[in-house]
Amino acid sequence: MKVVFELEDGRVVNETAAAGETVLSAARRAGVSIDAPCAGNGTCGKCRIRIENGEVSGERGKSISKKDFTEGYRLACASEIVSDVTIFVPGSALAWQNRIRVADFSSKRAQESFEAMKKALSGNKYKTDSIFTELTLRLERPSLDDAMADRERVINAAARELGALDEQISFTMQALRKLPQMLRDNDFHIGVLVRKNSGVLRYARNDGGDPRDSDCYQIFDIYEGVAVQVGVCIDLGTTTVSGALVDLKTKEFVATGNVGNTQIRYGADVISRLVESARDGGVSRLRDAVTKECIAPLISKMCSCAGILPSQISRAAIAGNTTMTHLFLGVYGNNIRLEPYVPAFFNLKYINGHEAGIGIHPEAEVLFAPSVGSYVGGDITAGVFATGMARKESFSLFIDLGTNGEIVFGNSEFLLSCACSAGSAFEGGEIDCGMRATDGAITSLVIDPDTFESQYTVIGEEGQLPAGICGSGLIDTISELFKTGMINAKGKFIHEGPCIYQDEWGFTYFTIVSAENSMTGNDIYISDADIDNFIRAKGAVFSAIFTLMKSLDMGFEVIGEIFLAGGIGSGINIGNAINIGMFPKLPEDRYNYIGNTSLSGAYAMLVSDKAKERIDEIARSMTYLELSSVPGYMDEFIAASFLPHTDASLFE
Amino acid sequence: MKVVFELEDGRVVNETAAAGETVLSAARRAGVSIDAPCAGNGTCGKCRIRIENGEVSGERGKSISKKDFTEGYRLACASEIVSDVTIFVPGSALAWQNRIRVADFSSKRAQESFEAMKKALSGNKYKTDSIFTELTLRLERPSLDDAMADRERVINAAARELGALDEQISFTMQALRKLPQMLRDNDFHIGVLVRKNSGVLRYARNDGGDPRDSDCYQIFDIYEGVAVQVGVCIDLGTTTVSGALVDLKTKEFVATGNVGNTQIRYGADVISRLVESARDGGVSRLRDAVTKECIAPLISKMCSCAGILPSQISRAAIAGNTTMTHLFLGVYGNNIRLEPYVPAFFNLKYINGHEAGIGIHPEAEVLFAPSVGSYVGGDITAGVFATGMARKESFSLFIDLGTNGEIVFGNSEFLLSCACSAGSAFEGGEIDCGMRATDGAITSLVIDPDTFESQYTVIGEEGQLPAGICGSGLIDTISELFKTGMINAKGKFIHEGPCIYQDEWGFTYFTIVSAENSMTGNDIYISDADIDNFIRAKGAVFSAIFTLMKSLDMGFEVIGEIFLAGGIGSGINIGNAINIGMFPKLPEDRYNYIGNTSLSGAYAMLVSDKAKERIDEIARSMTYLELSSVPGYMDEFIAASFLPHTDASLFE
């Protein structure tokens, strides 16, 4: 059957489908990225599409109102194709993953982000290296008496500049392929980027002798005029991929950007992705989704900002969780989720650019932050480095709240880590009006106890209308609802107010922003189902911290500093988070939100091999505590799934 | 307009063409490889096709008889499309390049070829290396108490076997991508191929310290059971590409093969190819022709013979002339043919498999024999190594007769080289009934002085009918025609005989095999135009040798040994070659045909890094004499363009 997808952004995609196939499945095959954070279980309501022509079968489901249903709205995951059909895909179903946000360094947000990164790294006295050297070469023009080949002519001149022997210098194919014409177009006057002794090929030496340093230097790329020296660092998140282009000479940002991880169409969490990856062709499907549809376009957009070509990127550093790193590399990772939870690799060190498939220089070194276990990955080892906690004598606690929650406690002597499945609630997933901490997100909120009206702040330029609520906004909303007595310790609405409604299924909603004041033209609300999801997430975090400390027989009071990081956003109100029982009750000044520590750690690896070595050491010294194997953990989780906790004395 | 190509091998290819486009041009675009050794100048007659339906415009030309013309035969290069047309492409127009000939080592020819190679290399005491090591690993199955990642588990076990540290061992992506499933399918019992310290990535070290040997070993590939250790060596010829798969453990051949270089559709000689490469997109067009259409299929067929996969090939060595090496690598080489004749590179050392684009292991080391100049390439440096002449005190002369003729004279003290443009006559090009020295080729011939009947030997199995004449057969034919007095010193027919005919243009033909006794069903003949082409080729060779020796103020008598190599074939009759004035008059036992020395040298590089180093040294020590800059060279060439020479005393 013919299926036509009409996307809100104007694209039209044709596909054929078998009768009975779901709209979501046909869309995936057609490359139309429809949101499905619940992995097609019909529960999240993110995959709302509208039938324009033709027919689909399937129940209405709780996320579609009667009115919307009569207008043709359906859940893509719950609708089976029964005839030729034309389907409108609204931006709301696409926006999550398809929108690349890029900023050059002139923007305020990019500067803030760089400041946060510098702050995160300030505790580390890591040495930045000069991995590359630039040369400007004016060569003799060849003649009948001097018919030396172009490559050897450049190497000869470079050797003189570098004080090296000709045979110590090699040449990348990318540089060689450009060389003959660039020399002649520029009167034999070119800029050269030389890589020093880093990830270069060493000449064979199999006779038992010492390895020769025949490739101490590599002519890495050539330029008309001045060489470009730019690297890229990437935080490879389950929900969001963030990146920054870095001038490797000044170590400053030249562009930053982020994009939703397009793998989200195969599910919001790592488990759904691993399940999909184990299906036929799944490994390359998931790899392509993140490399071709997500990172390559992000890099390409950042490069446009910076006025360079992706192929000029000469080094990359990537930090991601264990699953994301496997899927990025096209390595089968399904054993991560199957007992005994064994990844294919912990520490890859690096690969060549061509193997990464993200459009950068084919011989660029691509570094990866190492994993410690199936659920403590490179984002955490890079993050621990960024906090500087592994250099301190005093104890610190590191809490990274992205799609998963990871917690590390320790100091320069030891590091103990654990992971909790917080779901995607902190990044706005599993919440009807949830969204990432990006433009339009409500990031903080106060409810007037008399009128029940909300006052909120929104990320974005002056006058930005709200589009949804991000993690920090959700903490505030629930804390406020609890403080004003509108919800009870179980998160259920007990008090009626002017902004509270109930739908036909019995779910109760509190309206934060009415349709006419929102960017989307729909109400922004929170339901008791949303609150329930969020409480389970915060309960998972608190019980993980509690169990981790208890396993060491230590109380919260030993924690000198708490580093918060991840997608939950910088707007987090610590007082409110303690109030709802998400974080331990400790003086608020011990809490520090330090941004995207995974990206900070990737940045450090990018500019310093020393930092990469230190992160490898952190990974080796870190112990992993499997919470599910700790007796009593489930009881702790249940006790923490209340507002604030069954043992309220913990928060007094 | 619609063009349908019906190929004799049964394939049908559809293409569209503009009115006025030549059939040859449309065929090239459609990927139909029609022979055009004269580069579409209408002179060679190899591109004969037959019009089945529709119309083309254009002159008949000398290569098409009146009868054939009325039957629809045309030259593809001289016929312009003026309507929708259906074109039959006979095997004769395709065979040159499309036929891959492969032999496993059980065949007699493959064994002979290996014996020739061993003979060529016998003068070299090169040490063969063990670049790879095989391990068989039985690993502990992971458990909840031992959840080490797969990669680290393999490295740990390999380190114990190798007596190395874990951090000295790296892993290729190809091996890592197979690892999780292969381990579990084989109860954690696998074969591992380890590469030792050869072309592996070295870990970054930019702090001024010594480079660490963090990658002394590389887990190169993994296997169910025993590892495969196979390399490929390739002679990258202008006309013919020859290859051999080699067991890197035993150093024995496991398969050999050859295929016409499909670039021939852009012209028979390197100049036509360089001209084409300078056109828009030409570099990648010529690269694809030789890598995708020629070498990758050849390797794939040899691998089928040997029962392995191309991706299991773990090392490659390639020897080719300067132009072929540039075009293979997609490097712009047009400056080779433009004064001051400067190639883009002389010595590339090696690249990674993925950059070669021939389907082998992406991290295989691909080695190249170095060039000395624009017209003395890696085929010659590898060839000089194979002759062993660079290790001897006595003087030797090396003559490689392929599409170009290259000559090297010298000993262990010095090497002087020059090149002559012999055209493709020695490989059967520019000769109506010429062909390569392969099945069906007349390789030697005697003419009865009374009956003018020919007695000949044909390459192939018992009963093989002749299809054409190869280089050695042409030498015999011309020598016999000259000895029997049928042609004069200018190569013109002066004596009529029963096998001599004249065509309507006045060209005279001597028929060697009549149509009913030939494989093709056509007469096999030689015309005075063919003889003229051949005499110019042999004159170029002789005058080059003469000029080279004269420049050293040395006579032929100092030459202790003469090594003959190249596509002219092993059947060469030295007495006849001297008789026609092609080679110096020296005792015949000083002449040695030693086969494809370019392939022999590539084989040596493949199995020994020492041999590669020695070939690099040979390249550095070799001087190039540009013949055209030697006063009097043209006079020598003209004097040598007679049978045997204007100074007949040289051959008495």
Side-chain angles (χ1 to χ4, degrees):
Chain A
M1 278 150 190
K2 287 185 197 158
V3 185
V4 181
F5 293 100
E6 296 179 352
L7 279 55
E8 185 163 357
D9 61 18
R11 284 179 296 153
V12 176
V13 180
N14 292 291
E15 184 56 67
T16 53
E21 187 177 5
T22 66
V23 172
L24 183 64
S25 158
R28 281 176 178 170
R29 205 175 46 251
V32 173
S33 294
I34 292 182
D35 255 9
C38 71
N41 291 321
T43 54
C44 72
K46 300 283 181 200
C47 65
R48 274 162 63 108
I49 47 86
R50 194 174 66 220
I51 306 301
E52 300 289 290
N53 262 309
E55 251 184 279
V56 297
S57 71
E59 297 289 309
R60 172 158 65 96
K62 77 170 182 69
S63 332
I64 308 281
S65 71
K66 274 184 188 164
K67 176 170 164 291
D68 284 353
F69 191 79
T70 56
E71 286 173 7
Y73 280 99
R74 299 289 185 279
L75 291 183
C77 70
S79 303
E80 294 177 355
I81 294 163
V82 295
S83 75
D84 287 355
V85 66
T86 301
I87 292 163
F88 175 74
V89 185
S92 60
L94 291 168
W96 188 279
Q97 62 271 29
N98 272 4
R99 197 152 156 229
I100 299 179
R101 302 180 48 77
V102 177
D104 62 25
F105 198 57
S106 57
S107 90
K108 189 164 151 275
R109 298 268 320 273
Q111 283 191 31
E112 281 169 7
S113 149
F114 186 55
E115 291 308 317
M117 199 165 293
K118 282 211 280 201
K119 187 178 158 203
L121 292 171
S122 60
N124 292 288
K125 288 181 196 89
Y126 69 96
K127 179 175 165 256
T128 63
D129 315 303
S130 292
I131 296 158
F132 292 91
T133 305
E134 293 175 16
L135 300 177
T136 300
L137 301 179
R138 280 180 190 280
L139 306 171
E140 290 289 317
R141 290 190 71 93
S143 64
L144 279 176
D145 294 332
D146 168 20
M148 188 184 278
D150 298 339
R151 174 186 178 276
E152 280 72 11
R153 186 174 299 271
V154 169
I155 283 180
N156 196 253
R160 276 199 305 272
E161 295 270 329
L162 295 164
L165 302 170
D166 286 18
E167 55 265 37
Q168 290 178 311
I169 304 179
S170 66
F171 226 91
T172 65
M173 282 307 297
Q174 174 162 314
L176 183 60
R177 290 197 173 114
K178 292 181 202 171
L179 186 62
Q181 277 151 311
M182 197 179 283
L183 281 179
R184 285 160 187 82
D185 290 347
N186 294 279
D187 200 28
F188 287 75
H189 175 195
I190 56 168
V192 171
L193 188 65
V194 179
R195 180 159 66 179
K196 290 193 288 181
N197 193 18
S198 166
V200 294
L201 287 164
R202 181 165 49 183
Y203 192 66
R205 186 75 175 184
N206 298 298
D207 57 358
D210 289 332
R212 287 183 305 178
D213 281 339
S214 66
D215 292 299
C216 291
Y217 299 95
Q218 184 180 39
I219 307 286
F220 191 76
D221 216 341
I222 58 169
Y223 296 86
E224 301 191 347
V226 179
V228 168
Q229 233 189 91
V230 172
V232 65
C233 52
I234 289 169
D235 161 43
L236 182 54
T238 309
T239 305
T240 307
V241 177
S242 305
L245 290 189
V246 177
D247 183 321
L248 293 176
K249 221 163 21 171
T250 62
K251 324 295 177 196
E252 299 271 330
F253 279 15
V254 289
T256 64
N258 65 69
V259 59
N261 186 331
T262 40
Q263 287 178 342
I264 208 163
R265 63 174 181 260
Y266 303 111
D269 54 39
V270 297
I271 301 299
S272 328
R273 312 256 178 107
L274 290 171
V275 168
E276 174 71 18
S277 78
R279 295 193 177 120
D280 197 30
V283 169
S284 48
R285 212 155 45 235
L286 280 145
R287 182 181 187 206
D288 288 354
V290 71
T291 55
K292 292 189 192 159
E293 295 178 37
C294 183
I295 298 182
L298 174 65
I299 288 178
S300 169
K301 276 221 174 179
M302 290 195 293
C303 285
S304 303
C305 274
I308 65 163
L309 298 171
S311 66
Q312 293 174 330
I313 292 179
S314 49
R315 187 173 159 105
I318 298 179
N321 68 44
T322 310
T323 297
M324 286 305 111
T325 310
H326 278 64
L327 297 179
F328 173 85
L329 287 163
V331 175
Y332 185 85
N334 197 37
N335 299 309
I336 288 172
R337 70 177 187 89
L338 302 174
E339 205 184 302
Y341 316 112
V342 175
F345 63 92
F346 287 145
N347 191 353
L348 199 66
K349 289 178 182 163
Y350 56 85
I351 60 171
N352 274 347
H354 80 92
E355 286 173 317
I358 51 176
I360 64 174
H361 191 302
E363 296 186 45
E365 214 173 25
V366 183
L367 306 168
F368 292 87
S371 301
V372 172
S374 279
Y375 296 106
V376 174
D379 49 347
I380 301 308
T381 56
V384 165
F385 173 82
T387 65
M389 64 189 277
R391 303 173 71 96
K392 292 184 182 163
E393 274 183 55
S394 59
F395 291 118
S396 306
L397 185 71
F398 172 49
I399 306 174
D400 189 356
L401 294 181
T403 309
N404 280 341
E406 290 99 349
I407 291 150
V408 185
F409 174 78
N411 63 1
S412 56
E413 301 283 312
F414 79 97
L415 294 164
L416 181 62
S417 62
C418 70
C420 60
S421 178
S424 56
F426 299 128
E427 294 190 278
E430 299 168 53
I431 307 291
D432 275 5
C433 297
M435 69 180 290
R436 288 185 283 145
T438 179
D439 282 1
I442 294 176
T443 183
S444 71
L445 180 137
V446 179
I447 297 173
D448 186 304
D450 298 320
T451 63
F452 301 114
E453 269 175 28
S454 304
Q455 280 197 306
Y456 46 81
T457 56
V458 176
I459 300 181
E461 304 292 312
E462 187 91 18
Q464 168 76 47
L465 287 178
I469 326 170
C470 70
S472 60
L474 286 164
I475 290 172
D476 285 3
T477 307
I478 292 167
S479 175
E480 289 290 296
L481 289 172
F482 188 50
K483 273 196 271 188
T484 56
M486 294 166 80
I487 55 173
N488 65 15
K490 288 182 175 177
K492 298 293 170 205
F493 284 93
I494 47 172
H495 184 89
E496 300 224 339
C499 299
I500 300 179
Y501 307 93
Q502 197 168 60
D503 76 2
E504 53 196 297
W505 281 276
F507 285 103
T508 309
Y509 292 82
F510 171 75
T511 301
I512 299 163
V513 183
S514 57
E516 64 271 23
N517 293 322
S518 87
M519 198 176 88
T520 57
N522 294 315
D523 286 352
I524 299 173
Y525 59 84
I526 188 163
S527 72
D528 41 12
D530 293 336
I531 296 170
D532 208 44
N533 284 337
F534 196 89
I535 287 179
R536 266 186 283 115
K538 78 92 194 168
V541 172
F542 184 81
S543 55
I545 300 170
F546 189 89
T547 305
L548 190 77
M549 298 306 293
K550 209 169 118 183
S551 80
L552 293 165
D553 220 2
M554 284 176 163
F556 294 143
E557 68 286 351
V558 302
I559 304 170
E561 252 183 307
I562 299 163
F563 298 103
L564 293 178
I568 194 159
S570 59
I572 188 166
N573 180 318
I574 300 297
N576 282 342
I578 296 173
N579 185 45
I580 63 168
M582 178 167 163
F583 293 152
K585 178 134 180 92
L586 285 169
E588 284 184 33
D589 61 7
R590 294 196 196 171
Y591 283 87
N592 245 314
Y593 181 80
I594 53 169
N596 186 336
T597 48
S598 172
L599 187 61
S600 301
Y603 168 79
M605 291 196 296
L606 180 66
V607 297
S608 164
D609 280 329
K610 273 281 183 214
K612 164 66 173 151
E613 285 177 34
R614 186 75 190 104
I615 292 171
D616 287 350
E617 281 168 33
I618 286 170
R620 280 194 293 274
S621 69
M622 202 185 287
T623 313
Y624 176 64
L625 177 69
E626 174 55 47
L627 289 178
S628 61
S629 70
V630 177
Y633 168 68
M634 272 315 290
D635 297 336
E636 286 305 329
F637 172 62
I638 290 162
S641 298
F642 283 84
L643 295 176
H645 195 274
T646 50
D647 180 3
S649 71
L650 285 168
F651 295 90
E652 276 161 8
Chain B
M1 279 150 190
K2 287 185 195 160
V3 186
V4 181
F5 293 100
E6 296 180 351
L7 280 56
E8 185 163 354
D9 61 18
R11 282 179 296 152
V12 175
V13 180
N14 293 290
E15 184 56 69
T16 53
E21 186 175 8
T22 65
V23 172
L24 183 63
S25 158
R28 281 177 180 170
R29 205 176 47 251
V32 174
S33 295
I34 293 182
D35 255 9
C38 71
N41 291 321
T43 54
C44 73
K46 299 285 180 199
C47 65
R48 276 163 62 108
I49 46 85
R50 195 175 67 221
I51 307 301
E52 299 290 291
N53 264 307
E55 252 184 279
V56 296
S57 70
E59 297 289 307
R60 172 157 66 95
K62 77 172 181 67
S63 333
I64 308 282
S65 71
K66 274 185 188 163
K67 176 172 163 290
D68 284 353
F69 192 79
T70 57
E71 285 174 7
Y73 281 97
R74 299 288 185 278
L75 291 183
C77 69
S79 303
E80 293 176 354
I81 294 162
V82 294
S83 73
D84 287 356
V85 66
T86 301
I87 293 163
F88 175 75
V89 184
S92 60
L94 288 169
W96 189 278
Q97 63 271 29
N98 272 4
R99 198 152 155 228
I100 299 179
R101 301 180 48 77
V102 177
D104 62 25
F105 198 58
S106 58
S107 91
K108 190 164 151 274
R109 298 267 321 273
Q111 284 192 31
E112 280 169 8
S113 150
F114 186 56
E115 291 308 316
M117 195 164 297
K118 282 210 280 200
K119 187 179 158 202
L121 292 173
S122 60
N124 292 287
K125 288 181 197 88
Y126 69 96
K127 178 174 165 257
T128 62
D129 314 304
S130 293
I131 296 159
F132 293 91
T133 306
E134 293 174 16
L135 300 177
T136 301
L137 300 179
R138 281 181 189 279
L139 307 171
E140 290 290 317
R141 289 190 73 93
S143 64
L144 280 175
D145 294 331
D146 168 20
M148 187 183 277
D150 298 341
R151 173 187 178 277
E152 279 72 11
R153 186 174 299 270
V154 169
I155 283 180
N156 196 254
R160 276 199 305 273
E161 295 270 326
L162 295 164
L165 301 171
D166 286 18
E167 56 265 37
Q168 290 179 310
I169 304 180
S170 66
F171 225 93
T172 66
M173 282 307 296
Q174 174 162 313
L176 183 59
R177 291 196 173 115
K178 291 182 202 171
L179 186 62
Q181 277 151 311
M182 197 179 283
L183 280 179
R184 285 162 186 81
D185 289 348
N186 294 277
D187 200 27
F188 287 75
H189 175 196
I190 55 168
V192 170
L193 188 63
V194 179
R195 180 159 66 177
K196 289 193 288 180
N197 194 16
S198 166
V200 293
L201 287 164
R202 182 165 48 186
Y203 193 65
R205 186 75 174 185
N206 298 300
D207 57 358
D210 289 332
R212 287 184 306 177
D213 282 339
S214 67
D215 291 300
C216 292
Y217 299 95
Q218 185 180 40
I219 307 285
F220 190 77
D221 216 341
I222 58 169
Y223 295 87
E224 302 191 346
V226 180
V228 168
Q229 234 190 90
V230 172
V232 65
C233 53
I234 288 169
D235 161 43
L236 183 54
T238 309
T239 306
T240 307
V241 177
S242 305
L245 291 190
V246 178
D247 183 321
L248 294 175
K249 219 160 26 167
T250 62
K251 323 294 178 198
E252 299 271 330
F253 279 16
V254 289
T256 65
N258 64 70
V259 59
N261 186 330
T262 40
Q263 287 178 339
I264 209 161
R265 64 173 179 260
Y266 304 110
D269 54 40
V270 297
I271 301 299
S272 329
R273 311 259 179 106
L274 290 171
V275 168
E276 174 71 18
S277 78
R279 295 192 177 120
D280 197 31
V283 170
S284 48
R285 214 157 41 238
L286 280 144
R287 181 180 189 209
D288 288 353
V290 71
T291 55
K292 290 189 193 159
E293 294 178 39
C294 183
I295 298 183
L298 174 65
I299 288 178
S300 169
K301 274 220 175 181
M302 290 195 294
C303 285
S304 302
C305 273
I308 64 164
L309 298 170
S311 66
Q312 293 175 329
I313 293 179
S314 49
R315 189 173 157 104
I318 298 179
N321 67 46
T322 310
T323 298
M324 286 306 110
T325 310
H326 278 63
L327 297 179
F328 172 85
L329 287 164
V331 175
Y332 186 85
N334 197 38
N335 299 308
I336 290 172
R337 69 178 188 88
L338 303 173
E339 206 185 300
Y341 316 112
V342 175
F345 62 92
F346 288 146
N347 191 352
L348 198 67
K349 289 177 183 163
Y350 55 86
I351 60 170
N352 275 349
H354 79 93
E355 286 173 317
I358 51 176
I360 65 175
H361 191 303
E363 295 185 46
E365 213 172 26
V366 183
L367 305 168
F368 292 86
S371 300
V372 171
S374 278
Y375 296 105
V376 174
D379 49 346
I380 301 309
T381 56
V384 165
F385 173 83
T387 66
M389 64 189 278
R391 304 174 69 97
K392 292 186 181 162
E393 274 184 55
S394 59
F395 292 117
S396 306
L397 185 71
F398 171 50
I399 306 173
D400 189 357
L401 295 180
T403 308
N404 280 341
E406 290 100 350
I407 291 149
V408 184
F409 174 77
N411 62 1
S412 55
E413 300 284 312
F414 78 96
L415 293 164
L416 181 62
S417 61
C418 69
C420 60
S421 177
S424 57
F426 299 128
E427 294 190 278
E430 299 168 54
I431 307 292
D432 276 5
C433 298
M435 69 181 288
R436 288 186 283 146
T438 179
D439 282 0
I442 294 175
T443 182
S444 72
L445 180 137
V446 179
I447 297 172
D448 187 303
D450 300 320
T451 63
F452 301 113
E453 269 175 28
S454 304
Q455 281 198 306
Y456 47 81
T457 55
V458 177
I459 299 180
E461 303 291 311
E462 188 91 19
Q464 168 76 47
L465 288 178
I469 327 171
C470 71
S472 61
L474 287 163
I475 291 172
D476 285 3
T477 306
I478 293 167
S479 175
E480 289 290 295
L481 290 171
F482 188 53
K483 272 197 271 186
T484 56
M486 294 165 80
I487 55 174
N488 65 16
K490 291 181 176 177
K492 299 293 170 202
F493 284 93
I494 48 172
H495 183 89
E496 300 222 342
C499 299
I500 299 179
Y501 306 94
Q502 199 168 57
D503 75 5
E504 53 197 297
W505 282 275
F507 286 103
T508 310
Y509 291 80
F510 171 74
T511 302
I512 301 163
V513 182
S514 58
E516 64 270 24
N517 293 322
S518 88
M519 199 177 86
T520 57
N522 295 315
D523 285 351
I524 298 172
Y525 59 83
I526 188 163
S527 73
D528 40 14
D530 293 337
I531 297 170
D532 209 45
N533 284 338
F534 195 89
I535 286 179
R536 266 186 284 114
K538 79 92 193 167
V541 172
F542 184 81
S543 55
I545 301 169
F546 189 89
T547 306
L548 191 77
M549 297 306 293
K550 211 170 119 183
S551 79
L552 293 165
D553 221 3
M554 283 176 164
F556 295 141
E557 69 284 353
V558 302
I559 304 170
E561 252 181 308
I562 299 163
F563 298 104
L564 293 176
I568 193 159
S570 60
I572 188 166
N573 180 318
I574 300 298
N576 283 343
I578 295 172
N579 185 44
I580 63 169
M582 177 167 162
F583 293 151
K585 177 133 177 97
L586 285 169
E588 285 183 34
D589 61 7
R590 294 198 196 168
Y591 284 86
N592 245 313
Y593 181 81
I594 52 169
N596 186 338
T597 48
S598 172
L599 187 61
S600 302
Y603 167 79
M605 291 196 295
L606 180 66
V607 298
S608 165
D609 280 328
K610 274 279 183 216
K612 164 66 173 151
E613 285 176 33
R614 186 76 190 105
I615 293 170
D616 287 350
E617 282 167 31
I618 286 170
R620 280 194 293 274
S621 69
M622 201 185 287
T623 313
Y624 176 63
L625 178 68
E626 173 55 47
L627 290 177
S628 61
S629 70
V630 178
Y633 168 69
M634 272 314 289
D635 298 337
E636 286 304 330
F637 172 63
I638 290 161
S641 298
F642 284 83
L643 293 175
H645 195 275
T646 51
D647 179 4
S649 71
L650 284 169
F651 294 90
E652 275 161 8

